[in-house]
Amino acid sequence: MDVIHTVAELRRRLAAERRVGFVPTMGNLHTGHLDLTRIAARHAACTVVSIFVNRLQFGPSEDFDRYPRTLGDDCVQCEAAGVSIVFAPDESEMYPAPQSCTVDPGPIQHILDGVARPGHFRGVATVVLKLFGMVQPQVAVFGRKDYQQCKVIEGLVTQFSLPIELVFAPTSRADDGLALSSRNGYLSVTERAEAPWLNAELRRMVDAIRAGQREYSQLEAASVAALVARGWQPDYITVRRQSDLEPATAADRSLVLLAAARLGSTRLIDNVELSL
Ligand code: PAF
C-alpha cells in the first residue's frame, strides 16, 4: 500500500490505473469505513482512501480542532483491508490558496443538518469536488449514515456531469444498533450505553408508520419529547421523502426517517429508509 501526500505524486501513481474506486474520509477509521473500502474493491482493482479533516465543513464552534487525527493507525487498518493507496494531503496541499471558489449545493444545504450546521454542505461539496479532481475515480463509495451528504454528492455528480459512478453503502452498526461513527469515540461510558436509543426511536416511528400512522408531525413531536425525557437535545427527528428530503405527506411511498440529536457534547445522526 502506498501512502501519498501530494497531488503530483498521486497523479504519477494513478497514471497506469484503469479503474479506481475511491472512499473519501476524514480518518479515525472504524469498521464502517473499512466496509466502504471493501465495497470499492468490488468495483475497481485500485482502491484509494483519502484522509483529510476538512476545515471548510466545520462551523466555528464545532469540533475541528479536537477531531481525532490517527493517520498511523488508519494506514495500518487500510493496509490490512487491502487498500491500494492512502491519500493524506495536508491543509496547504488541499487549500494552497484561500478557497474563494466553492460549490453551492442549492436548497438541500439549508434543511435538516444544514440548519444546525450552516455552510457544512458547501464545505463538503467543495472538498469532494476537489478530491474527485485529484483522484479522478471511476467509482466513489459513501455511507448512507450521512444521508443528506449522499443527496448533496448525488446532486454534485449529476448536475456537473461528473463521470463517476456513486455507490451509497448501508450504514454499518454496532451489535446494539448504534450507527458507527468516528464521533462515537467522544461518548462517555454512560452516553455510549444510551446512544442506541436514537436508532431505537427511529425504529419505533417506522413501526408506527407500518401500523398505519400517517400524522407524521404528531409522530415527530412524540419522538422529540421521548428523546428530551431521556436527556437528549434533538435537532430533528423527522419523516421525509427520499427524493428531496422535504417533509413527507401521507401520499409519499419512499420515505426516510432522519434524526440528529446531541447526547452530552456529542452530536449523533442516524436514519432509516422505509418503503410503503
Ligand atoms: O463523510 C465524511 O467523512 C466527509 O464529509 C467527507 C465526505 C470525507 C468530506 O470531507
Side-chain angles (χ1 to χ4, degrees):
M1 188 185 78
D2 298 315
V3 181
I4 293 177
H5 298 284
T6 66
V7 178
E9 198 189 340
L10 182 69
R11 292 241 164 92
R12 273 196 298 278
R13 168 62 182 80
L14 288 175
E17 297 291 348
R18 297 190 48 215
R19 196 166 165 79
V20 174
F22 179 39
V23 180
T25 82
M26 296 204 300
N28 194 229
L29 303 184
H30 50 68
T31 317
H33 293 112
L34 301 176
D35 290 342
L36 302 184
T37 69
R38 285 186 201 100
I39 292 170
R42 292 208 290 268
H43 287 81
C46 175
T47 51
V48 178
V49 170
S50 67
I51 296 180
F52 179 69
V53 184
N54 175 37
R55 185 187 292 276
L56 229 58
Q57 69 190 72
F58 287 79
S61 58
E62 292 185 350
D63 56 345
F64 175 76
D65 287 330
R66 72 169 176 141
Y67 200 88
R69 273 94 167 157
T70 53
L71 183 60
D73 185 52
D74 292 345
C75 289
V76 171
Q77 293 195 62
C78 283
E79 178 132 48
V83 169
S84 317
I85 299 170
V86 167
F87 175 50
D90 67 12
E91 197 144 335
S92 64
E93 184 71 10
M94 182 61 74
Y95 296 117
Q99 189 71 25
S100 55
C101 183
T102 59
V103 178
D104 178 344
I108 196 168
Q109 73 183 307
H110 301 302
I111 60 174
L112 300 169
D113 272 359
V115 175
R117 308 189 69 190
H120 170 68
F121 289 112
R122 190 184 41 205
V124 169
T126 301
V127 81
V128 169
L129 183 60
K130 286 178 74 101
L131 285 164
F132 282 170
M134 293 168 177
V135 179
Q136 300 186 15
Q138 277 65 46
V139 181
V141 186
F142 294 82
R144 279 176 193 264
K145 180 180 78 74
D146 299 302
Y147 202 91
Q148 190 174 3
Q149 171 169 283
C150 290
K151 289 284 169 194
V152 167
I153 305 301
E154 192 173 52
L156 175 75
V157 165
T158 309
Q159 294 182 29
F160 287 108
S161 307
L162 303 180
I164 299 172
E165 180 190 338
L166 291 175
V167 178
F168 297 128
T171 302
S172 302
R173 296 185 181 279
D175 289 345
D176 59 10
L178 177 65
L180 298 187
S181 162
S182 299
R183 290 190 169 97
N184 292 350
Y186 298 152
L187 297 169
S188 69
V189 173
T190 331
E191 289 166 348
R192 174 61 189 83
E194 171 64 20
W197 197 263
L198 193 61
N199 184 252
E201 195 57 50
L202 286 168
R203 302 237 159 246
R204 264 187 289 282
M205 290 173 83
V206 166
D207 290 345
I209 296 170
R210 280 201 207 283
Q213 169 67 278
R214 294 292 181 271
E215 298 294 338
Y216 296 144
S217 48
Q218 277 178 23
L219 206 53
E220 291 167 2
S223 286
V224 165
L227 287 170
V228 169
R230 296 185 65 91
W232 294 72
Q233 298 157 267
D235 283 341
Y236 58 81
I237 179 157
T238 181
V239 186
R240 298 289 165 127
R241 296 198 292 246
Q242 282 180 23
S243 55
D244 56 6
L245 303 189
E246 289 298 331
T249 68
D252 291 311
R253 291 284 163 264
S254 296
L255 308 178
V256 56
L257 286 71
L258 304 112
R262 226 169 267 281
L263 193 53
S265 61
T266 308
R267 187 173 186 273
L268 299 177
I269 62 171
D270 201 352
N271 66 79
V272 178
E273 284 178 305
L274 171 62
S275 298
L276 296 175

